[in-house]
Amino acid sequence: DGGITQSPKYLFRKEGQNVTLSCEQNLNHDAMYWYRQDPGQGLRLIYYSQIVNDFQKGDIAEGYSVSREKKESFPLTVTSAQKNPTAFYLCASSTPGQGYNEQFFGPGTRLTVL
Amino acid sequence: KQEVTQIPAALSVPEGENLVLNCSFTDSAIYNLQWFRQDPGKGLTSLLLIQSSQREQTSGRLNASLDKSSGRSTLYIAASQPGDSATYLCAVKPAGVVMDSSYKLIFGSGTRLLVRP
């Protein structure tokens, strides 16, 4: 079955801790994305990557970091510098390039700061 | 700056009713518009994708229309069922001059739909 997996489903973090959210896809997509969703709101782009070993900041990158060492994996680290990290995090992938490509989404990780 | 608005924020209808969800966007320069469904605590499921050159797309009981010039899209759900209860999000892919702006989707805040048995 082709798709996007995210783990864990729920994550709890103490203040001052860094945590890493996993995103894996077997759709053979070059492009991958991380979005954040707050209650009652739409999604906002954190980081995106169009190809292995390259990534770009989105609209709300402060306090987050990513890596893209493998085509199928795009982990997101929420650092202690992120002041309000409690949110629902969604990973997506697509064929590369701007324009008409469709994005496909994973099931999400809910992060709560204790 | 592209902004996407969905009204109403919440909608409750009796089972069997036909209904329309609205999405408006401020900049007509888009590559495409997508409608998604999101169940509570879950990820997004793509329902329909309309390219900028298209006027509508249909899938089963769903029909989405696009009027780029007026910055509007509607999602029509025929013969609604309780299983249709979810949040529906629309998102546009901007076709701006700046390269980076074309990689991301701009989302509305969604319409929460409840179909009552």
mmCIF file of all heavy atoms in Angstrom, chain A residues 8-15 17 19 21 78 84-89 109-114:
data_model
loop_
_atom_site.group_PDB
_atom_site.id
_atom_site.type_symbol
_atom_site.label_atom_id
_atom_site.label_comp_id
_atom_site.label_asym_id
_atom_site.label_seq_id
_atom_site.Cartn_x
_atom_site.Cartn_y
_atom_site.Cartn_z
ATOM 1 N N PRO A 8 5.272 9.632 16.255
ATOM 2 C CA PRO A 8 4.135 8.909 16.821
ATOM 3 C C PRO A 8 2.819 9.613 16.508
ATOM 4 O O PRO A 8 2.832 10.718 15.978
ATOM 5 C CB PRO A 8 4.434 8.934 18.320
ATOM 6 C CG PRO A 8 5.158 10.233 18.518
ATOM 7 C CD PRO A 8 5.991 10.430 17.275
ATOM 8 N N LYS A 9 1.705 9.011 16.890
ATOM 9 C CA LYS A 9 0.409 9.644 16.688
ATOM 10 C C LYS A 9 0.213 10.759 17.716
ATOM 11 O O LYS A 9 -0.338 11.819 17.412
ATOM 12 C CB LYS A 9 -0.700 8.606 16.824
ATOM 13 C CG LYS A 9 -2.080 9.135 16.495
ATOM 14 C CD LYS A 9 -3.103 8.014 16.498
ATOM 15 C CE LYS A 9 -4.488 8.559 16.151
ATOM 16 N NZ LYS A 9 -5.512 7.483 16.145
ATOM 17 N N TYR A 10 0.649 10.507 18.950
ATOM 18 C CA TYR A 10 0.584 11.498 20.027
ATOM 19 C C TYR A 10 1.982 11.645 20.626
ATOM 20 O O TYR A 10 2.697 10.649 20.799
ATOM 21 C CB TYR A 10 -0.393 11.062 21.133
ATOM 22 C CG TYR A 10 -1.810 10.882 20.663
ATOM 23 C CD1 TYR A 10 -2.303 9.624 20.349
ATOM 24 C CD2 TYR A 10 -2.659 11.978 20.533
ATOM 25 C CE1 TYR A 10 -3.600 9.457 19.912
ATOM 26 C CE2 TYR A 10 -3.967 11.815 20.096
ATOM 27 C CZ TYR A 10 -4.428 10.551 19.795
ATOM 28 O OH TYR A 10 -5.715 10.396 19.360
ATOM 29 N N LEU A 11 2.333 12.871 20.985
ATOM 30 C CA LEU A 11 3.651 13.137 21.544
ATOM 31 C C LEU A 11 3.510 14.213 22.617
ATOM 32 O O LEU A 11 2.858 15.229 22.397
ATOM 33 C CB LEU A 11 4.599 13.604 20.427
ATOM 34 C CG LEU A 11 6.077 13.818 20.772
ATOM 35 C CD1 LEU A 11 6.688 12.544 21.331
ATOM 36 C CD2 LEU A 11 6.827 14.272 19.528
ATOM 37 N N PHE A 12 4.161 13.946 23.736
ATOM 38 C CA PHE A 12 4.124 14.899 24.834
ATOM 39 C C PHE A 12 5.543 15.384 25.088
ATOM 40 O O PHE A 12 6.479 14.584 25.134
ATOM 41 C CB PHE A 12 3.521 14.246 26.085
ATOM 42 C CG PHE A 12 2.109 13.802 25.884
ATOM 43 C CD1 PHE A 12 1.827 12.514 25.432
ATOM 44 C CD2 PHE A 12 1.057 14.673 26.113
ATOM 45 C CE1 PHE A 12 0.517 12.105 25.219
ATOM 46 C CE2 PHE A 12 -0.259 14.268 25.918
ATOM 47 C CZ PHE A 12 -0.522 12.982 25.469
ATOM 48 N N ARG A 13 5.661 16.671 25.285
ATOM 49 C CA ARG A 13 6.982 17.268 25.462
ATOM 50 C C ARG A 13 6.985 18.152 26.689
ATOM 51 O O ARG A 13 6.026 18.882 26.935
ATOM 52 C CB ARG A 13 7.323 18.112 24.232
ATOM 53 C CG ARG A 13 8.753 18.615 24.182
ATOM 54 C CD ARG A 13 8.959 19.704 23.142
ATOM 55 N NE ARG A 13 8.850 21.032 23.747
ATOM 56 C CZ ARG A 13 9.156 22.163 23.112
ATOM 57 N NH1 ARG A 13 9.562 22.107 21.865
ATOM 58 N NH2 ARG A 13 9.036 23.323 23.713
ATOM 59 N N LYS A 14 8.068 18.064 27.432
ATOM 60 C CA LYS A 14 8.239 18.989 28.540
ATOM 61 C C LYS A 14 8.879 20.266 28.016
ATOM 62 O O LYS A 14 9.625 20.233 27.028
ATOM 63 C CB LYS A 14 9.132 18.372 29.617
ATOM 64 C CG LYS A 14 8.515 17.172 30.328
ATOM 65 C CD LYS A 14 9.453 16.650 31.395
ATOM 66 C CE LYS A 14 8.843 15.443 32.095
ATOM 67 N NZ LYS A 14 9.773 14.885 33.116
ATOM 68 N N GLU A 15 8.633 21.347 28.660
ATOM 69 C CA GLU A 15 9.226 22.612 28.234
ATOM 70 C C GLU A 15 10.746 22.496 28.248
ATOM 71 O O GLU A 15 11.330 21.897 29.150
ATOM 72 C CB GLU A 15 8.769 23.742 29.159
ATOM 73 C CG GLU A 15 7.306 24.064 28.991
ATOM 74 C CD GLU A 15 6.992 25.506 29.333
ATOM 75 O OE1 GLU A 15 7.924 26.320 29.400
ATOM 76 O OE2 GLU A 15 5.804 25.806 29.527
ATOM 77 N N GLN A 17 12.526 20.836 26.030
ATOM 78 C CA GLN A 17 12.975 19.633 25.321
ATOM 79 C C GLN A 17 12.834 19.809 23.823
ATOM 80 O O GLN A 17 11.914 20.476 23.353
ATOM 81 C CB GLN A 17 12.116 18.428 25.719
ATOM 82 C CG GLN A 17 12.500 17.764 26.996
ATOM 83 C CD GLN A 17 11.650 16.521 27.244
ATOM 84 O OE1 GLN A 17 10.536 16.412 26.727
ATOM 85 N NE2 GLN A 17 12.169 15.606 28.025
ATOM 86 N N VAL A 19 11.999 17.663 20.403
ATOM 87 C CA VAL A 19 11.375 16.401 20.005
ATOM 88 C C VAL A 19 11.388 16.310 18.487
ATOM 89 O O VAL A 19 11.340 17.330 17.804
ATOM 90 C CB VAL A 19 9.917 16.267 20.511
ATOM 91 C CG1 VAL A 19 9.884 16.126 22.025
ATOM 92 C CG2 VAL A 19 9.074 17.438 20.057
ATOM 93 N N LEU A 21 9.585 14.561 15.081
ATOM 94 C CA LEU A 21 8.435 13.900 14.483
ATOM 95 C C LEU A 21 8.878 13.229 13.186
ATOM 96 O O LEU A 21 9.589 13.830 12.372
ATOM 97 C CB LEU A 21 7.341 14.940 14.170
ATOM 98 C CG LEU A 21 6.498 15.490 15.311
ATOM 99 C CD1 LEU A 21 7.337 16.189 16.372
ATOM 100 C CD2 LEU A 21 5.440 16.434 14.769
ATOM 101 N N VAL A 78 11.101 19.790 16.622
ATOM 102 C CA VAL A 78 10.538 20.960 17.288
ATOM 103 C C VAL A 78 11.489 21.308 18.420
ATOM 104 O O VAL A 78 11.663 20.525 19.360
ATOM 105 C CB VAL A 78 9.122 20.660 17.826
ATOM 106 C CG1 VAL A 78 8.504 21.919 18.429
ATOM 107 C CG2 VAL A 78 8.237 20.113 16.715
ATOM 108 N N ASN A 84 5.347 28.144 21.200
ATOM 109 C CA ASN A 84 4.005 27.599 21.373
ATOM 110 C C ASN A 84 3.842 26.376 20.477
ATOM 111 O O ASN A 84 3.137 26.424 19.471
ATOM 112 C CB ASN A 84 2.964 28.660 21.024
ATOM 113 C CG ASN A 84 1.551 28.190 21.309
ATOM 114 O OD1 ASN A 84 1.338 27.261 22.088
ATOM 115 N ND2 ASN A 84 0.582 28.801 20.661
ATOM 116 N N PRO A 85 4.482 25.254 20.822
ATOM 117 C CA PRO A 85 4.523 24.120 19.902
ATOM 118 C C PRO A 85 3.293 23.219 19.943
ATOM 119 O O PRO A 85 3.159 22.356 19.080
ATOM 120 C CB PRO A 85 5.752 23.351 20.386
ATOM 121 C CG PRO A 85 5.841 23.674 21.835
ATOM 122 C CD PRO A 85 5.356 25.080 21.991
ATOM 123 N N THR A 86 2.404 23.396 20.900
ATOM 124 C CA THR A 86 1.228 22.522 20.977
ATOM 125 C C THR A 86 0.363 22.728 19.744
ATOM 126 O O THR A 86 -0.146 23.825 19.508
ATOM 127 C CB THR A 86 0.422 22.820 22.251
ATOM 128 O OG1 THR A 86 1.199 22.469 23.391
ATOM 129 C CG2 THR A 86 -0.873 22.026 22.267
ATOM 130 N N ALA A 87 0.219 21.677 18.940
ATOM 131 C CA ALA A 87 -0.509 21.771 17.674
ATOM 132 C C ALA A 87 -0.583 20.383 17.053
ATOM 133 O O ALA A 87 -0.027 19.413 17.574
ATOM 134 C CB ALA A 87 0.188 22.735 16.709
ATOM 135 N N PHE A 88 -1.270 20.321 15.928
ATOM 136 C CA PHE A 88 -1.366 19.103 15.128
ATOM 137 C C PHE A 88 -0.445 19.295 13.931
ATOM 138 O O PHE A 88 -0.539 20.296 13.216
ATOM 139 C CB PHE A 88 -2.825 18.922 14.691
ATOM 140 C CG PHE A 88 -3.147 17.595 14.077
ATOM 141 C CD1 PHE A 88 -2.766 16.417 14.692
ATOM 142 C CD2 PHE A 88 -3.856 17.521 12.888
ATOM 143 C CE1 PHE A 88 -3.081 15.180 14.138
ATOM 144 C CE2 PHE A 88 -4.182 16.287 12.325
ATOM 145 C CZ PHE A 88 -3.793 15.128 12.949
ATOM 146 N N TYR A 89 0.489 18.346 13.711
ATOM 147 C CA TYR A 89 1.480 18.483 12.658
ATOM 148 C C TYR A 89 1.202 17.476 11.548
ATOM 149 O O TYR A 89 1.055 16.274 11.802
ATOM 150 C CB TYR A 89 2.885 18.269 13.224
ATOM 151 C CG TYR A 89 3.305 19.387 14.139
ATOM 152 C CD1 TYR A 89 2.975 19.366 15.489
ATOM 153 C CD2 TYR A 89 4.000 20.490 13.648
ATOM 154 C CE1 TYR A 89 3.338 20.412 16.339
ATOM 155 C CE2 TYR A 89 4.371 21.529 14.476
ATOM 156 C CZ TYR A 89 4.028 21.485 15.815
ATOM 157 O OH TYR A 89 4.391 22.526 16.639
ATOM 158 N N THR A 109 0.532 14.066 13.580
ATOM 159 C CA THR A 109 1.032 13.854 14.946
ATOM 160 C C THR A 109 0.531 15.005 15.803
ATOM 161 O O THR A 109 0.707 16.175 15.441
ATOM 162 C CB THR A 109 2.572 13.836 14.984
ATOM 163 O OG1 THR A 109 3.063 12.678 14.313
ATOM 164 C CG2 THR A 109 3.073 13.840 16.427
ATOM 165 N N ARG A 110 -0.090 14.648 16.933
ATOM 166 C CA ARG A 110 -0.554 15.693 17.842
ATOM 167 C C ARG A 110 0.492 15.875 18.935
ATOM 168 O O ARG A 110 0.777 14.955 19.693
ATOM 169 C CB ARG A 110 -1.899 15.338 18.465
ATOM 170 C CG ARG A 110 -2.463 16.468 19.337
ATOM 171 C CD ARG A 110 -3.917 16.266 19.678
ATOM 172 N NE ARG A 110 -4.764 16.224 18.493
ATOM 173 C CZ ARG A 110 -5.162 17.277 17.799
ATOM 174 N NH1 ARG A 110 -4.791 18.495 18.173
ATOM 175 N NH2 ARG A 110 -5.936 17.123 16.749
ATOM 176 N N LEU A 111 1.075 17.060 19.005
ATOM 177 C CA LEU A 111 2.108 17.385 19.990
ATOM 178 C C LEU A 111 1.507 18.257 21.079
ATOM 179 O O LEU A 111 0.845 19.268 20.794
ATOM 180 C CB LEU A 111 3.269 18.128 19.310
ATOM 181 C CG LEU A 111 4.355 18.693 20.232
ATOM 182 C CD1 LEU A 111 5.066 17.571 20.984
ATOM 183 C CD2 LEU A 111 5.362 19.514 19.429
ATOM 184 N N THR A 112 1.751 17.843 22.318
ATOM 185 C CA THR A 112 1.277 18.611 23.467
ATOM 186 C C THR A 112 2.462 18.921 24.380
ATOM 187 O O THR A 112 3.233 18.015 24.718
ATOM 188 C CB THR A 112 0.227 17.824 24.263
ATOM 189 O OG1 THR A 112 -0.866 17.501 23.393
ATOM 190 C CG2 THR A 112 -0.295 18.644 25.432
ATOM 191 N N VAL A 113 2.567 20.170 24.763
ATOM 192 C CA VAL A 113 3.616 20.573 25.706
ATOM 193 C C VAL A 113 3.036 20.579 27.109
ATOM 194 O O VAL A 113 2.007 21.191 27.367
ATOM 195 C CB VAL A 113 4.170 21.961 25.354
ATOM 196 C CG1 VAL A 113 5.129 22.444 26.431
ATOM 197 C CG2 VAL A 113 4.864 21.912 24.013
ATOM 198 N N LEU A 114 3.718 19.861 28.002
ATOM 199 C CA LEU A 114 3.231 19.730 29.379
ATOM 200 C C LEU A 114 3.771 20.858 30.242
ATOM 201 O O LEU A 114 4.859 21.377 29.993
ATOM 202 C CB LEU A 114 3.654 18.375 29.942
ATOM 203 C CG LEU A 114 3.154 17.162 29.138
ATOM 204 C CD1 LEU A 114 3.763 15.896 29.686
ATOM 205 C CD2 LEU A 114 1.637 17.102 29.155
#
